[in-house]
Structures are given as C-alpha cells and as structure tokens.
Amino acid sequence: EDQVTQSPEALRLQEGESSSLNCSYTVSGLRGLFWYRQDPGKGPEFLFTLYSAGEEKEKERLKATLTKKESFLHITAPKPEDSATYLCAVQDSGAGSYQLTFGKGTKLSVIP
Amino acid sequence: DGGITQSPKYLFRKEGQNVTLSCEQNLNHDAMYWYRQDPGQGLRLIYYSQIVNDFQKGDIAEGYSVSREKKESFPLTVTSAQKNPTAFYLCASSMGVEAFFGQGTRLTVV
C-alpha cells in the first residue's frame, strides 16, 4: 500500500527565514511525486512534478528535490503570501490509473 | 479560461437526502476524479473515470455514485447511505500524469 508522510504538520517562520518541508513516501514503483499548494477553502494548486531521484525543480522562492525515499520543498526567504498548506502526493507506476495518494499536508505560516 | 468548475461552492443537506455535486472541465482531459478532504486527513479518492461511460471505485466509494455521460462532466451524488457526508469535496482532471483541481464544494449536513 502506498504511503505518504509529511513533516512537520505545521511550521511557523519569520519573513525571510528559509526552511524545508519533508515528504517521505513508500510506493512499489514511483511514476511521479507532486507538490501542491492549498489556500484555505480553495482547491489545491499544482506546483511541481518530480519523476526520478536527483531531480530538482524551482519556481520563485520554492525548490523541490527528490530522493528514492523522500522529497523536500525548500522555501527561500519566504514572504507572508507563501502562507498556505503544502500537499505532497505520489502516483504508483503499478496503478491502473493516474490516481494520487496524498499526505496530510504541512501548514506553513510566514509572519511579517 | 480553461479550467475545472465545481458548483455549488457551499451545499447544505438534510439527513436522508441525496445531493449532487457538479464538476465540469473544458481542458479536454480524458480522466476525472473525485476526492474528499477532511480536517487533519489527506485527500481520499472516491471515484475516478478514465473515459466516457466508464468509472471505477476509489478507496471510499461507499455511499457515493457517479456518472460520466460526457467528457466534460463528472457529477458526484452523495446518497443517504453515506454515514458522514460533511466534508470538502474536490474534483480533478488529468491528461496523463499531472492532475488539476477545481475550487471545491463544501457539503454540510444539517
């Protein structure tokens, strides 16, 4: 059974204080690992897809990295508008469809 | 604008009633999905459809039903058999690997 564990559950940062969110996963075969951002009362917004260990992707202050067991979402010099819940999900290459298994998310608060 | 539209944004249901949540996409995606989100839990898959007139149960299908008569539309019915329907419901679509989500419907049983 595919499993995704995100840590920490919540993270409070001062504006400009860089940090990382962790996503540990267990799948029989990884088709892809996904990061989403979710604002309160809204649907998840797609951020990144990572396919293989060693891959990295960047977007503004966010950088996602992937190893064989975990992914990190690095946030450099965060701003208050980066406050949101960040969701990690995996797709199993053995699955018949492109369904996702999600972690519970990390709620990030950036204080001015 | 291309995207996924869920309606209504808020829905209130009396116990014993069936309600239908709408999901429409104009992205020309083949696959569509319904997820349920509860506080402190990850999104859980209810149903998915990879092609018109075909759909499969996800992890928590009991008490729900769907149809896929058109490529653009994948409505979800929450039946009276669903014991705890109060939740945030999210529809998604994909053409291949990456899935994109609608803005959600919050269903509350009163």
Side-chain angles (χ1 to χ4, degrees):
Chain A
E1 183 183 330
D2 300 340
Q3 288 191 334
V4 177
T5 303
Q6 292 188 247
S7 62
E9 289 184 14
L11 182 62
R12 196 176 163 93
L13 299 173
Q14 289 293 130
E15 184 172 2
E17 179 187 2
S18 302
S19 188
S20 298
L21 314 183
N22 179 262
C23 171
S24 298
Y25 64 91
T26 305
V27 292
S28 55
L30 182 68
R31 176 182 282 145
L33 184 141
F34 306 84
W35 283 98
Y36 290 86
R37 169 193 169 126
Q38 186 175 26
D39 293 304
K42 301 283 181 70
E45 174 190 346
F46 172 79
L47 292 174
F48 303 110
T49 307
L50 300 168
Y51 294 100
S52 58
E55 190 174 1
E56 300 182 350
K57 290 205 175 159
E58 287 188 67
K59 180 180 179 179
E60 296 180 356
R61 295 176 293 282
L62 300 177
K63 179 180 177 180
T65 62
L66 181 65
T67 72
K68 288 187 177 179
K69 293 184 178 180
E70 58 191 353
S71 176
F72 292 93
L73 185 65
H74 307 278
I75 302 176
T76 303
K79 298 182 177 181
E81 53 262 41
D82 295 321
S83 297
T85 296
Y86 290 85
L87 303 176
C88 175
V90 297
Q91 268 182 10
D92 192 325
S93 59
S97 75
Y98 293 113
Q99 58 186 284
L100 298 168
T101 300
F102 280 87
K104 295 181 180 180
T106 294
K107 184 175 181 179
L108 174 66
S109 301
V110 181
I111 313 303
Chain B
D1 267 34
I4 303 167
T5 302
Q6 290 188 243
S7 61
K9 188 176 172 79
Y10 300 97
L11 187 56
F12 297 89
R13 188 195 94 171
K14 292 183 179 179
E15 287 195 17
Q17 282 184 338
N18 292 354
V19 290
T20 297
L21 284 60
S22 171
C23 178
E24 304 276 333
Q25 55 101 358
N26 61 5
L27 301 169
N28 200 33
H29 286 172
D30 286 326
M32 296 187 74
Y33 310 82
W34 276 104
Y35 289 88
R36 170 180 172 142
Q37 188 173 35
D38 295 282
Q41 294 202 40
L43 277 69
R44 292 180 291 167
L45 182 66
I46 305 173
Y47 268 98
Y48 63 96
S49 167
Q50 297 184 85
I51 197 169
V52 173
N53 293 323
D54 187 50
F55 48 83
Q56 285 78 41
K57 294 181 179 179
D59 300 321
I60 56 166
E62 185 175 350
Y64 300 98
S65 66
V66 294
S67 63
R68 186 89 186 274
E69 297 177 1
K70 298 186 300 182
K71 187 175 185 177
E72 306 80 39
S73 178
F74 192 39
L76 174 74
T77 297
V78 184
T79 75
S80 57
Q82 170 48 236
K83 301 264 187 277
N84 185 20
T86 294
F88 191 47
Y89 290 87
L90 288 159
C91 177
S93 71
S94 71
M95 179 70 87
V97 174
E98 293 166 355
F100 298 90
F101 285 81
Q103 290 302 295
T105 293
R106 186 166 299 281
L107 173 63
T108 304
V109 173
V110 296

mmCIF file with all atom_site columns, all heavy atoms in Angstrom, chain B residues 40-65:
data_model
loop_
_atom_site.group_PDB
_atom_site.id
_atom_site.type_symbol
_atom_site.label_atom_id
_atom_site.label_alt_id
_atom_site.label_comp_id
_atom_site.label_asym_id
_atom_site.label_entity_id
_atom_site.label_seq_id
_atom_site.pdbx_PDB_ins_code
_atom_site.Cartn_x
_atom_site.Cartn_y
_atom_site.Cartn_z
_atom_site.occupancy
_atom_site.B_iso_or_equiv
_atom_site.pdbx_formal_charge
_atom_site.auth_seq_id
_atom_site.auth_comp_id
_atom_site.auth_asym_id
_atom_site.auth_atom_id
_atom_site.pdbx_PDB_model_num
ATOM 1   N N   . GLY B 1 40 ? -7.341  17.415 9.005   1.00 0.00 ? 40 GLY B N   1
ATOM 2   C CA  . GLY B 1 40 ? -6.324  16.544 9.565   1.00 0.00 ? 40 GLY B CA  1
ATOM 3   C C   . GLY B 1 40 ? -6.085  15.269 8.782   1.00 0.00 ? 40 GLY B C   1
ATOM 4   O O   . GLY B 1 40 ? -5.322  14.411 9.220   1.00 0.00 ? 40 GLY B O   1
ATOM 5   N N   . GLN B 1 41 ? -6.740  15.140 7.622   1.00 0.00 ? 41 GLN B N   1
ATOM 6   C CA  . GLN B 1 41 ? -6.531  13.939 6.803   1.00 0.00 ? 41 GLN B CA  1
ATOM 7   C C   . GLN B 1 41 ? -6.103  14.338 5.401   1.00 0.00 ? 41 GLN B C   1
ATOM 8   O O   . GLN B 1 41 ? -6.418  15.425 4.930   1.00 0.00 ? 41 GLN B O   1
ATOM 9   C CB  . GLN B 1 41 ? -7.827  13.129 6.714   1.00 0.00 ? 41 GLN B CB  1
ATOM 10  C CG  . GLN B 1 41 ? -8.278  12.542 8.023   1.00 0.00 ? 41 GLN B CG  1
ATOM 11  C CD  . GLN B 1 41 ? -9.207  11.364 7.804   1.00 0.00 ? 41 GLN B CD  1
ATOM 12  O OE1 . GLN B 1 41 ? -8.990  10.556 6.910   1.00 0.00 ? 41 GLN B OE1 1
ATOM 13  N NE2 . GLN B 1 41 ? -10.227 11.253 8.622   1.00 0.00 ? 41 GLN B NE2 1
ATOM 14  N N   . GLY B 1 42 ? -5.414  13.426 4.732   1.00 0.00 ? 42 GLY B N   1
ATOM 15  C CA  . GLY B 1 42 ? -5.091  13.662 3.339   1.00 0.00 ? 42 GLY B CA  1
ATOM 16  C C   . GLY B 1 42 ? -6.313  13.497 2.457   1.00 0.00 ? 42 GLY B C   1
ATOM 17  O O   . GLY B 1 42 ? -7.329  12.945 2.881   1.00 0.00 ? 42 GLY B O   1
ATOM 18  N N   . LEU B 1 43 ? -6.212  13.973 1.231   1.00 0.00 ? 43 LEU B N   1
ATOM 19  C CA  . LEU B 1 43 ? -7.305  13.766 0.279   1.00 0.00 ? 43 LEU B CA  1
ATOM 20  C C   . LEU B 1 43 ? -7.463  12.268 0.026   1.00 0.00 ? 43 LEU B C   1
ATOM 21  O O   . LEU B 1 43 ? -6.475  11.546 -0.136  1.00 0.00 ? 43 LEU B O   1
ATOM 22  C CB  . LEU B 1 43 ? -6.991  14.459 -1.046  1.00 0.00 ? 43 LEU B CB  1
ATOM 23  C CG  . LEU B 1 43 ? -7.293  15.946 -1.169  1.00 0.00 ? 43 LEU B CG  1
ATOM 24  C CD1 . LEU B 1 43 ? -6.366  16.781 -0.319  1.00 0.00 ? 43 LEU B CD1 1
ATOM 25  C CD2 . LEU B 1 43 ? -7.230  16.366 -2.628  1.00 0.00 ? 43 LEU B CD2 1
ATOM 26  N N   . ARG B 1 44 ? -8.721  11.840 -0.026  1.00 0.00 ? 44 ARG B N   1
ATOM 27  C CA  . ARG B 1 44 ? -9.004  10.419 -0.278  1.00 0.00 ? 44 ARG B CA  1
ATOM 28  C C   . ARG B 1 44 ? -9.855  10.274 -1.533  1.00 0.00 ? 44 ARG B C   1
ATOM 29  O O   . ARG B 1 44 ? -10.812 11.022 -1.725  1.00 0.00 ? 44 ARG B O   1
ATOM 30  C CB  . ARG B 1 44 ? -9.704  9.792  0.936   1.00 0.00 ? 44 ARG B CB  1
ATOM 31  C CG  . ARG B 1 44 ? -8.813  9.692  2.166   1.00 0.00 ? 44 ARG B CG  1
ATOM 32  C CD  . ARG B 1 44 ? -9.555  9.081  3.327   1.00 0.00 ? 44 ARG B CD  1
ATOM 33  N NE  . ARG B 1 44 ? -10.597 9.973  3.842   1.00 0.00 ? 44 ARG B NE  1
ATOM 34  C CZ  . ARG B 1 44 ? -11.554 9.587  4.687   1.00 0.00 ? 44 ARG B CZ  1
ATOM 35  N NH1 . ARG B 1 44 ? -11.639 8.339  5.087   1.00 0.00 ? 44 ARG B NH1 1
ATOM 36  N NH2 . ARG B 1 44 ? -12.442 10.475 5.117   1.00 0.00 ? 44 ARG B NH2 1
ATOM 37  N N   . LEU B 1 45 ? -9.531  9.284  -2.358  1.00 0.00 ? 45 LEU B N   1
ATOM 38  C CA  . LEU B 1 45 ? -10.168 9.106  -3.649  1.00 0.00 ? 45 LEU B CA  1
ATOM 39  C C   . LEU B 1 45 ? -11.516 8.409  -3.506  1.00 0.00 ? 45 LEU B C   1
ATOM 40  O O   . LEU B 1 45 ? -11.612 7.328  -2.896  1.00 0.00 ? 45 LEU B O   1
ATOM 41  C CB  . LEU B 1 45 ? -9.258  8.294  -4.569  1.00 0.00 ? 45 LEU B CB  1
ATOM 42  C CG  . LEU B 1 45 ? -9.757  8.062  -5.984  1.00 0.00 ? 45 LEU B CG  1
ATOM 43  C CD1 . LEU B 1 45 ? -9.822  9.386  -6.747  1.00 0.00 ? 45 LEU B CD1 1
ATOM 44  C CD2 . LEU B 1 45 ? -8.832  7.084  -6.693  1.00 0.00 ? 45 LEU B CD2 1
ATOM 45  N N   . ILE B 1 46 ? -12.555 9.000  -4.092  1.00 0.00 ? 46 ILE B N   1
ATOM 46  C CA  . ILE B 1 46 ? -13.901 8.428  -4.043  1.00 0.00 ? 46 ILE B CA  1
ATOM 47  C C   . ILE B 1 46 ? -14.179 7.616  -5.305  1.00 0.00 ? 46 ILE B C   1
ATOM 48  O O   . ILE B 1 46 ? -14.502 6.431  -5.246  1.00 0.00 ? 46 ILE B O   1
ATOM 49  C CB  . ILE B 1 46 ? -14.965 9.543  -3.891  1.00 0.00 ? 46 ILE B CB  1
ATOM 50  C CG1 . ILE B 1 46 ? -14.676 10.423 -2.674  1.00 0.00 ? 46 ILE B CG1 1
ATOM 51  C CG2 . ILE B 1 46 ? -16.354 8.919  -3.769  1.00 0.00 ? 46 ILE B CG2 1
ATOM 52  C CD1 . ILE B 1 46 ? -15.582 11.648 -2.567  1.00 0.00 ? 46 ILE B CD1 1
ATOM 53  N N   . TYR B 1 47 ? -14.105 8.247  -6.440  1.00 0.00 ? 47 TYR B N   1
ATOM 54  C CA  . TYR B 1 47 ? -14.331 7.609  -7.740  1.00 0.00 ? 47 TYR B CA  1
ATOM 55  C C   . TYR B 1 47 ? -13.412 8.259  -8.766  1.00 0.00 ? 47 TYR B C   1
ATOM 56  O O   . TYR B 1 47 ? -13.002 9.400  -8.613  1.00 0.00 ? 47 TYR B O   1
ATOM 57  C CB  . TYR B 1 47 ? -15.779 7.810  -8.210  1.00 0.00 ? 47 TYR B CB  1
ATOM 58  C CG  . TYR B 1 47 ? -16.755 6.727  -7.840  1.00 0.00 ? 47 TYR B CG  1
ATOM 59  C CD1 . TYR B 1 47 ? -17.577 6.879  -6.726  1.00 0.00 ? 47 TYR B CD1 1
ATOM 60  C CD2 . TYR B 1 47 ? -16.881 5.572  -8.610  1.00 0.00 ? 47 TYR B CD2 1
ATOM 61  C CE1 . TYR B 1 47 ? -18.489 5.887  -6.380  1.00 0.00 ? 47 TYR B CE1 1
ATOM 62  C CE2 . TYR B 1 47 ? -17.802 4.583  -8.262  1.00 0.00 ? 47 TYR B CE2 1
ATOM 63  C CZ  . TYR B 1 47 ? -18.597 4.750  -7.149  1.00 0.00 ? 47 TYR B CZ  1
ATOM 64  O OH  . TYR B 1 47 ? -19.506 3.771  -6.809  1.00 0.00 ? 47 TYR B OH  1
ATOM 65  N N   . TYR B 1 48 ? -13.122 7.508  -9.849  1.00 0.00 ? 48 TYR B N   1
ATOM 66  C CA  . TYR B 1 48 ? -12.416 8.101  -10.960 1.00 0.00 ? 48 TYR B CA  1
ATOM 67  C C   . TYR B 1 48 ? -12.938 7.513  -12.265 1.00 0.00 ? 48 TYR B C   1
ATOM 68  O O   . TYR B 1 48 ? -13.518 6.423  -12.290 1.00 0.00 ? 48 TYR B O   1
ATOM 69  C CB  . TYR B 1 48 ? -10.901 7.925  -10.842 1.00 0.00 ? 48 TYR B CB  1
ATOM 70  C CG  . TYR B 1 48 ? -10.401 6.498  -10.865 1.00 0.00 ? 48 TYR B CG  1
ATOM 71  C CD1 . TYR B 1 48 ? -9.944  5.918  -12.039 1.00 0.00 ? 48 TYR B CD1 1
ATOM 72  C CD2 . TYR B 1 48 ? -10.351 5.751  -9.694  1.00 0.00 ? 48 TYR B CD2 1
ATOM 73  C CE1 . TYR B 1 48 ? -9.467  4.614  -12.053 1.00 0.00 ? 48 TYR B CE1 1
ATOM 74  C CE2 . TYR B 1 48 ? -9.879  4.447  -9.688  1.00 0.00 ? 48 TYR B CE2 1
ATOM 75  C CZ  . TYR B 1 48 ? -9.440  3.885  -10.868 1.00 0.00 ? 48 TYR B CZ  1
ATOM 76  O OH  . TYR B 1 48 ? -8.967  2.592  -10.879 1.00 0.00 ? 48 TYR B OH  1
ATOM 77  N N   . SER B 1 49 ? -12.699 8.282  -13.339 1.00 0.00 ? 49 SER B N   1
ATOM 78  C CA  . SER B 1 49 ? -13.155 7.872  -14.659 1.00 0.00 ? 49 SER B CA  1
ATOM 79  C C   . SER B 1 49 ? -12.058 8.204  -15.652 1.00 0.00 ? 49 SER B C   1
ATOM 80  O O   . SER B 1 49 ? -11.560 9.323  -15.693 1.00 0.00 ? 49 SER B O   1
ATOM 81  C CB  . SER B 1 49 ? -14.440 8.621  -15.024 1.00 0.00 ? 49 SER B CB  1
ATOM 82  O OG  . SER B 1 49 ? -14.742 8.459  -16.396 1.00 0.00 ? 49 SER B OG  1
ATOM 83  N N   . GLN B 1 50 ? -11.682 7.214  -16.447 1.00 0.00 ? 50 GLN B N   1
ATOM 84  C CA  . GLN B 1 50 ? -10.616 7.448  -17.427 1.00 0.00 ? 50 GLN B CA  1
ATOM 85  C C   . GLN B 1 50 ? -11.169 7.701  -18.823 1.00 0.00 ? 50 GLN B C   1
ATOM 86  O O   . GLN B 1 50 ? -10.430 8.136  -19.720 1.00 0.00 ? 50 GLN B O   1
ATOM 87  C CB  . GLN B 1 50 ? -9.673  6.243  -17.458 1.00 0.00 ? 50 GLN B CB  1
ATOM 88  C CG  . GLN B 1 50 ? -8.964  6.032  -16.126 1.00 0.00 ? 50 GLN B CG  1
ATOM 89  C CD  . GLN B 1 50 ? -7.962  4.900  -16.177 1.00 0.00 ? 50 GLN B CD  1
ATOM 90  O OE1 . GLN B 1 50 ? -6.827  5.100  -16.578 1.00 0.00 ? 50 GLN B OE1 1
ATOM 91  N NE2 . GLN B 1 50 ? -8.372  3.713  -15.757 1.00 0.00 ? 50 GLN B NE2 1
ATOM 92  N N   . ILE B 1 51 ? -12.481 7.416  -18.995 1.00 0.00 ? 51 ILE B N   1
ATOM 93  C CA  . ILE B 1 51 ? -13.075 7.563  -20.315 1.00 0.00 ? 51 ILE B CA  1
ATOM 94  C C   . ILE B 1 51 ? -14.585 7.680  -20.141 1.00 0.00 ? 51 ILE B C   1
ATOM 95  O O   . ILE B 1 51 ? -15.154 7.220  -19.140 1.00 0.00 ? 51 ILE B O   1
ATOM 96  C CB  . ILE B 1 51 ? -12.697 6.366  -21.206 1.00 0.00 ? 51 ILE B CB  1
ATOM 97  C CG1 . ILE B 1 51 ? -12.944 6.673  -22.672 1.00 0.00 ? 51 ILE B CG1 1
ATOM 98  C CG2 . ILE B 1 51 ? -13.399 5.111  -20.749 1.00 0.00 ? 51 ILE B CG2 1
ATOM 99  C CD1 . ILE B 1 51 ? -12.339 5.645  -23.606 1.00 0.00 ? 51 ILE B CD1 1
ATOM 100 N N   . VAL B 1 52 ? -15.231 8.273  -21.117 1.00 0.00 ? 52 VAL B N   1
ATOM 101 C CA  . VAL B 1 52 ? -16.696 8.430  -21.053 1.00 0.00 ? 52 VAL B CA  1
ATOM 102 C C   . VAL B 1 52 ? -17.360 7.065  -20.904 1.00 0.00 ? 52 VAL B C   1
ATOM 103 O O   . VAL B 1 52 ? -16.924 6.070  -21.485 1.00 0.00 ? 52 VAL B O   1
ATOM 104 C CB  . VAL B 1 52 ? -17.186 9.152  -22.325 1.00 0.00 ? 52 VAL B CB  1
ATOM 105 C CG1 . VAL B 1 52 ? -18.709 9.191  -22.382 1.00 0.00 ? 52 VAL B CG1 1
ATOM 106 C CG2 . VAL B 1 52 ? -16.627 10.559 -22.381 1.00 0.00 ? 52 VAL B CG2 1
ATOM 107 N N   . ASN B 1 53 ? -18.418 7.057  -20.081 1.00 0.00 ? 53 ASN B N   1
ATOM 108 C CA  . ASN B 1 53 ? -19.234 5.864  -19.835 1.00 0.00 ? 53 ASN B CA  1
ATOM 109 C C   . ASN B 1 53 ? -18.491 4.759  -19.092 1.00 0.00 ? 53 ASN B C   1
ATOM 110 O O   . ASN B 1 53 ? -18.932 3.595  -19.115 1.00 0.00 ? 53 ASN B O   1
ATOM 111 C CB  . ASN B 1 53 ? -19.826 5.294  -21.143 1.00 0.00 ? 53 ASN B CB  1
ATOM 112 C CG  . ASN B 1 53 ? -20.850 6.224  -21.757 1.00 0.00 ? 53 ASN B CG  1
ATOM 113 O OD1 . ASN B 1 53 ? -21.617 6.867  -21.033 1.00 0.00 ? 53 ASN B OD1 1
ATOM 114 N ND2 . ASN B 1 53 ? -20.862 6.312  -23.068 1.00 0.00 ? 53 ASN B ND2 1
ATOM 115 N N   . ASP B 1 54 ? -17.415 5.104  -18.429 1.00 0.00 ? 54 ASP B N   1
ATOM 116 C CA  . ASP B 1 54 ? -16.678 4.133  -17.620 1.00 0.00 ? 54 ASP B CA  1
ATOM 117 C C   . ASP B 1 54 ? -16.122 4.824  -16.382 1.00 0.00 ? 54 ASP B C   1
ATOM 118 O O   . ASP B 1 54 ? -15.591 5.938  -16.473 1.00 0.00 ? 54 ASP B O   1
ATOM 119 C CB  . ASP B 1 54 ? -15.528 3.528  -18.422 1.00 0.00 ? 54 ASP B CB  1
ATOM 120 C CG  . ASP B 1 54 ? -14.870 2.408  -17.655 1.00 0.00 ? 54 ASP B CG  1
ATOM 121 O OD1 . ASP B 1 54 ? -15.590 1.506  -17.168 1.00 0.00 ? 54 ASP B OD1 1
ATOM 122 O OD2 . ASP B 1 54 ? -13.628 2.429  -17.513 1.00 0.00 ? 54 ASP B OD2 1
ATOM 123 N N   . PHE B 1 55 ? -16.262 4.176  -15.210 1.00 0.00 ? 55 PHE B N   1
ATOM 124 C CA  . PHE B 1 55 ? -15.710 4.741  -13.987 1.00 0.00 ? 55 PHE B CA  1
ATOM 125 C C   . PHE B 1 55 ? -15.425 3.604  -13.009 1.00 0.00 ? 55 PHE B C   1
ATOM 126 O O   . PHE B 1 55 ? -15.979 2.499  -13.128 1.00 0.00 ? 55 PHE B O   1
ATOM 127 C CB  . PHE B 1 55 ? -16.655 5.766  -13.363 1.00 0.00 ? 55 PHE B CB  1
ATOM 128 C CG  . PHE B 1 55 ? -18.089 5.329  -13.241 1.00 0.00 ? 55 PHE B CG  1
ATOM 129 C CD1 . PHE B 1 55 ? -18.509 4.554  -12.178 1.00 0.00 ? 55 PHE B CD1 1
ATOM 130 C CD2 . PHE B 1 55 ? -19.028 5.714  -14.201 1.00 0.00 ? 55 PHE B CD2 1
ATOM 131 C CE1 . PHE B 1 55 ? -19.829 4.155  -12.066 1.00 0.00 ? 55 PHE B CE1 1
ATOM 132 C CE2 . PHE B 1 55 ? -20.351 5.319  -14.097 1.00 0.00 ? 55 PHE B CE2 1
ATOM 133 C CZ  . PHE B 1 55 ? -20.749 4.537  -13.029 1.00 0.00 ? 55 PHE B CZ  1
ATOM 134 N N   . GLN B 1 56 ? -14.527 3.870  -12.068 1.00 0.00 ? 56 GLN B N   1
ATOM 135 C CA  . GLN B 1 56 ? -14.113 2.875  -11.083 1.00 0.00 ? 56 GLN B CA  1
ATOM 136 C C   . GLN B 1 56 ? -14.188 3.446  -9.671  1.00 0.00 ? 56 GLN B C   1
ATOM 137 O O   . GLN B 1 56 ? -14.013 4.649  -9.470  1.00 0.00 ? 56 GLN B O   1
ATOM 138 C CB  . GLN B 1 56 ? -12.669 2.418  -11.334 1.00 0.00 ? 56 GLN B CB  1
ATOM 139 C CG  . GLN B 1 56 ? -12.497 1.475  -12.503 1.00 0.00 ? 56 GLN B CG  1
ATOM 140 C CD  . GLN B 1 56 ? -12.530 2.198  -13.831 1.00 0.00 ? 56 GLN B CD  1
ATOM 141 O OE1 . GLN B 1 56 ? -11.959 3.275  -13.951 1.00 0.00 ? 56 GLN B OE1 1
ATOM 142 N NE2 . GLN B 1 56 ? -13.213 1.622  -14.804 1.00 0.00 ? 56 GLN B NE2 1
ATOM 143 N N   . LYS B 1 57 ? -14.408 2.565  -8.717  1.00 0.00 ? 57 LYS B N   1
ATOM 144 C CA  . LYS B 1 57 ? -14.428 2.961  -7.312  1.00 0.00 ? 57 LYS B CA  1
ATOM 145 C C   . LYS B 1 57 ? -13.007 3.257  -6.837  1.00 0.00 ? 57 LYS B C   1
ATOM 146 O O   . LYS B 1 57 ? -12.056 2.579  -7.209  1.00 0.00 ? 57 LYS B O   1
ATOM 147 C CB  . LYS B 1 57 ? -15.031 1.853  -6.455  1.00 0.00 ? 57 LYS B CB  1
ATOM 148 C CG  . LYS B 1 57 ? -16.493 1.591  -6.715  1.00 0.00 ? 57 LYS B CG  1
ATOM 149 C CD  . LYS B 1 57 ? -17.021 0.495  -5.793  1.00 0.00 ? 57 LYS B CD  1
ATOM 150 C CE  . LYS B 1 57 ? -18.501 0.255  -6.046  1.00 0.00 ? 57 LYS B CE  1
ATOM 151 N NZ  . LYS B 1 57 ? -19.032 -0.826 -5.166  1.00 0.00 ? 57 LYS B NZ  1
ATOM 152 N N   . GLY B 1 58 ? -12.929 4.277  -5.975  1.00 0.00 ? 58 GLY B N   1
ATOM 153 C CA  . GLY B 1 58 ? -11.684 4.561  -5.283  1.00 0.00 ? 58 GLY B CA  1
ATOM 154 C C   . GLY B 1 58 ? -11.691 3.919  -3.915  1.00 0.00 ? 58 GLY B C   1
ATOM 155 O O   . GLY B 1 58 ? -12.365 2.922  -3.686  1.00 0.00 ? 58 GLY B O   1
ATOM 156 N N   . ASP B 1 59 ? -10.980 4.538  -2.986  1.00 0.00 ? 59 ASP B N   1
ATOM 157 C CA  . ASP B 1 59 ? -10.802 3.945  -1.666  1.00 0.00 ? 59 ASP B CA  1
ATOM 158 C C   . ASP B 1 59 ? -12.026 4.065  -0.764  1.00 0.00 ? 59 ASP B C   1
ATOM 159 O O   . ASP B 1 59 ? -12.198 3.279  0.167   1.00 0.00 ? 59 ASP B O   1
ATOM 160 C CB  . ASP B 1 59 ? -9.603  4.603  -0.970  1.00 0.00 ? 59 ASP B CB  1
ATOM 161 C CG  . ASP B 1 59 ? -8.316  4.401  -1.751  1.00 0.00 ? 59 ASP B CG  1
ATOM 162 O OD1 . ASP B 1 59 ? -8.130  3.303  -2.300  1.00 0.00 ? 59 ASP B OD1 1
ATOM 163 O OD2 . ASP B 1 59 ? -7.502  5.352  -1.813  1.00 0.00 ? 59 ASP B OD2 1
ATOM 164 N N   . ILE B 1 60 ? -12.883 5.064  -1.012  1.00 0.00 ? 60 ILE B N   1
ATOM 165 C CA  . ILE B 1 60 ? -14.005 5.322  -0.093  1.00 0.00 ? 60 ILE B CA  1
ATOM 166 C C   . ILE B 1 60 ? -15.296 5.539  -0.866  1.00 0.00 ? 60 ILE B C   1
ATOM 167 O O   . ILE B 1 60 ? -16.015 6.502  -0.651  1.00 0.00 ? 60 ILE B O   1
ATOM 168 C CB  . ILE B 1 60 ? -13.701 6.534  0.822   1.00 0.00 ? 60 ILE B CB  1
ATOM 169 C CG1 . ILE B 1 60 ? -13.366 7.788  0.003   1.00 0.00 ? 60 ILE B CG1 1
ATOM 170 C CG2 . ILE B 1 60 ? -12.567 6.226  1.782   1.00 0.00 ? 60 ILE B CG2 1
ATOM 171 C CD1 . ILE B 1 60 ? -13.405 9.075  0.821   1.00 0.00 ? 60 ILE B CD1 1
ATOM 172 N N   . ALA B 1 61 ? -15.655 4.628  -1.770  1.00 0.00 ? 61 ALA B N   1
ATOM 173 C CA  . ALA B 1 61 ? -16.801 4.816  -2.655  1.00 0.00 ? 61 ALA B CA  1
ATOM 174 C C   . ALA B 1 61 ? -18.158 4.571  -2.001  1.00 0.00 ? 61 ALA B C   1
ATOM 175 O O   . ALA B 1 61 ? -19.189 4.979  -2.542  1.00 0.00 ? 61 ALA B O   1
ATOM 176 C CB  . ALA B 1 61 ? -16.652 3.921  -3.870  1.00 0.00 ? 61 ALA B CB  1
ATOM 177 N N   . GLU B 1 62 ? -18.188 3.914  -0.858  1.00 0.00 ? 62 GLU B N   1
ATOM 178 C CA  . GLU B 1 62 ? -19.472 3.554  -0.252  1.00 0.00 ? 62 GLU B CA  1
ATOM 179 C C   . GLU B 1 62 ? -20.295 4.795  0.068   1.00 0.00 ? 62 GLU B C   1
ATOM 180 O O   . GLU B 1 62 ? -19.826 5.729  0.722   1.00 0.00 ? 62 GLU B O   1
ATOM 181 C CB  . GLU B 1 62 ? -19.254 2.741  1.022   1.00 0.00 ? 62 GLU B CB  1
ATOM 182 C CG  . GLU B 1 62 ? -20.541 2.246  1.637   1.00 0.00 ? 62 GLU B CG  1
ATOM 183 C CD  . GLU B 1 62 ? -20.319 1.340  2.832   1.00 0.00 ? 62 GLU B CD  1
ATOM 184 O OE1 . GLU B 1 62 ? -19.159 0.942  3.073   1.00 0.00 ? 62 GLU B OE1 1
ATOM 185 O OE2 . GLU B 1 62 ? -21.297 1.058  3.531   1.00 0.00 ? 62 GLU B OE2 1
ATOM 186 N N   . GLY B 1 63 ? -21.570 4.793  -0.401  1.00 0.00 ? 63 GLY B N   1
ATOM 187 C CA  . GLY B 1 63 ? -22.451 5.919  -0.138  1.00 0.00 ? 63 GLY B CA  1
ATOM 188 C C   . GLY B 1 63 ? -22.390 7.004  -1.196  1.00 0.00 ? 63 GLY B C   1
ATOM 189 O O   . GLY B 1 63 ? -23.053 8.033  -1.072  1.00 0.00 ? 63 GLY B O   1
ATOM 190 N N   . TYR B 1 64 ? -21.607 6.795  -2.245  1.00 0.00 ? 64 TYR B N   1
ATOM 191 C CA  . TYR B 1 64 ? -21.470 7.752  -3.341  1.00 0.00 ? 64 TYR B CA  1
ATOM 192 C C   . TYR B 1 64 ? -21.797 7.080  -4.666  1.00 0.00 ? 64 TYR B C   1
ATOM 193 O O   . TYR B 1 64 ? -21.662 5.872  -4.799  1.00 0.00 ? 64 TYR B O   1
ATOM 194 C CB  . TYR B 1 64 ? -20.045 8.297  -3.418  1.00 0.00 ? 64 TYR B CB  1
ATOM 195 C CG  . TYR B 1 64 ? -19.562 9.031  -2.194  1.00 0.00 ? 64 TYR B CG  1
ATOM 196 C CD1 . TYR B 1 64 ? -18.778 8.378  -1.242  1.00 0.00 ? 64 TYR B CD1 1
ATOM 197 C CD2 . TYR B 1 64 ? -19.872 10.369 -1.989  1.00 0.00 ? 64 TYR B CD2 1
ATOM 198 C CE1 . TYR B 1 64 ? -18.324 9.041  -0.120  1.00 0.00 ? 64 TYR B CE1 1
ATOM 199 C CE2 . TYR B 1 64 ? -19.417 11.046 -0.868  1.00 0.00 ? 64 TYR B CE2 1
ATOM 200 C CZ  . TYR B 1 64 ? -18.642 10.365 0.064   1.00 0.00 ? 64 TYR B CZ  1
ATOM 201 O OH  . TYR B 1 64 ? -18.198 11.030 1.178   1.00 0.00 ? 64 TYR B OH  1
ATOM 202 N N   . SER B 1 65 ? -22.217 7.875  -5.662  1.00 0.00 ? 65 SER B N   1
ATOM 203 C CA  . SER B 1 65 ? -22.373 7.373  -7.015  1.00 0.00 ? 65 SER B CA  1
ATOM 204 C C   . SER B 1 65 ? -21.967 8.465  -7.991  1.00 0.00 ? 65 SER B C   1
ATOM 205 O O   . SER B 1 65 ? -21.981 9.660  -7.659  1.00 0.00 ? 65 SER B O   1
ATOM 206 C CB  . SER B 1 65 ? -23.819 6.924  -7.288  1.00 0.00 ? 65 SER B CB  1
ATOM 207 O OG  . SER B 1 65 ? -24.686 8.034  -7.250  1.00 0.00 ? 65 SER B OG  1
#
